[in-house]
């Protein structure tokens, strides 16, 4: 199963340093039955993009909680055995949990398929979106518009060999 792990750049640097994603269990996003039902598509590429987008929103939440982190969303795509990732059946259709899975164990960073990161030109919108999250969560439509503005930026695709450059360790 392909899962999308939300991180920040410091989180990616830590995964690079330790060689592992998460200590387990940790939250990731995937094509779950609830996501399929919500998205109403059978196209696996569209569904995976929806899961990636959910992980990007989770990365934005991490940024909101980590004000010193560079304002770029980060998502790592990694393939794990199906038995390692599970969706909570009680939260399957909860809008806040769409696509959410729990990965039971740490995953070697070497298993990552790709890394997705905002371009530098997204930083202003991502910063504004991270600041607007609490108000958006409270139902403020203007704040939600600001949060949605971060989604206008496509995450860039990077090969895993590029991780040292992304985390500033060009070794």
């Amino acid at each position: 199963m392909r899962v999308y792990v939300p991180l920040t750049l410091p989180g990616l640097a830590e995964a690079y340093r330790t060689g592992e994603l998460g200590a387990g269990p940790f939250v990731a996003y995937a094509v779950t039955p609830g996501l399929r039902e919500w998205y109403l598509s059978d196209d696996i590429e569209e569904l995976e993009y929806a899961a990636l987008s959910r992980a990007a929103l989770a990365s934005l939440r991490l940024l909101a909680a980590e004000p010193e982190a560079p304002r770029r969303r980060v998502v790592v795509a990694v393939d794990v055995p199906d038995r390692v990732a599970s969706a909570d059946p009680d939260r399957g259709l909860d809008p806040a949990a769409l696509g959410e899975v729990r990965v039971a164990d740490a995953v070697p960073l070497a298993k990552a398929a790709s890394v997705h990161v905002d371009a530098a030109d997204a930083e202003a919108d991502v910063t504004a979106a991270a600041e607007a999250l609490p108000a958006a969560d409270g139902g403020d439509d203007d704040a939600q518009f600001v949060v949605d503005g971060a989604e206008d930026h496509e995450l860039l695709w990077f090969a895993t060999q590029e991780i040292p450059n992304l985390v500033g360790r060009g070794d």
Side-chain angles (χ1 to χ4, degrees), residues 104-170:
D105 302 315
V107 176
L109 185 59
K111 298 274 186 188
S114 58
V115 180
H116 306 265
V117 181
D118 275 311
D121 68 355
E123 286 186 16
D125 288 339
V126 170
T127 298
E131 291 169 358
L133 264 174
D137 288 346
D140 183 321
D141 290 338
D142 292 335
Q144 186 61 52
F145 182 78
V146 173
V147 170
D148 292 343
E151 293 176 14
D152 291 341
H153 296 276
E154 294 290 327
L155 297 179
L156 302 177
W157 181 95
F158 293 91
T160 56
Q161 297 88 333
E162 297 176 272
I163 292 173
N165 293 330
L166 290 170
V167 298
R169 294 185 178 156

Side-chain angles (χ1 to χ4, degrees), residues 56-76:
L57 178 59
S59 175
L60 183 66
R61 291 188 178 288
L62 293 173
L63 288 171
E66 210 176 309
E68 71 285 352
R71 309 328 264 169
R72 291 184 178 181
R73 298 167 298 163
V74 177
V75 176
V76 177

Side-chain angles (χ1 to χ4, degrees), residues 76-89:
V76 177
V78 62
D79 294 316
V80 299
D82 288 352
R83 70 183 185 290
V84 174
S86 60
D88 182 343

Side-chain angles (χ1 to χ4, degrees), residues 26-109:
F26 62 91
V27 173
Y29 293 81
V31 178
T32 62
L35 185 76
R36 283 181 187 275
E37 189 171 324
W38 171 75
Y39 199 73
L40 298 174
S41 175
D42 289 329
D43 183 324
I44 192 64
E45 288 184 11
E46 288 181 15
L47 290 165
E48 286 183 347
Y49 181 78
L52 172 69
S53 297
R54 299 291 298 166
L57 178 59
S59 175
L60 183 66
R61 291 188 178 288
L62 293 173
L63 288 171
E66 210 176 309
E68 71 285 352
R71 309 328 264 169
R72 291 184 178 181
R73 298 167 298 163
V74 177
V75 176
V76 177
V78 62
D79 294 316
V80 299
D82 288 352
R83 70 183 185 290
V84 174
S86 60
D88 182 343
D90 294 332
R91 294 189 69 205
L93 293 177
D94 176 351
L98 285 171
E100 188 177 286
V101 295
R102 297 255 178 242
V103 178
D105 302 315
V107 176
L109 185 59

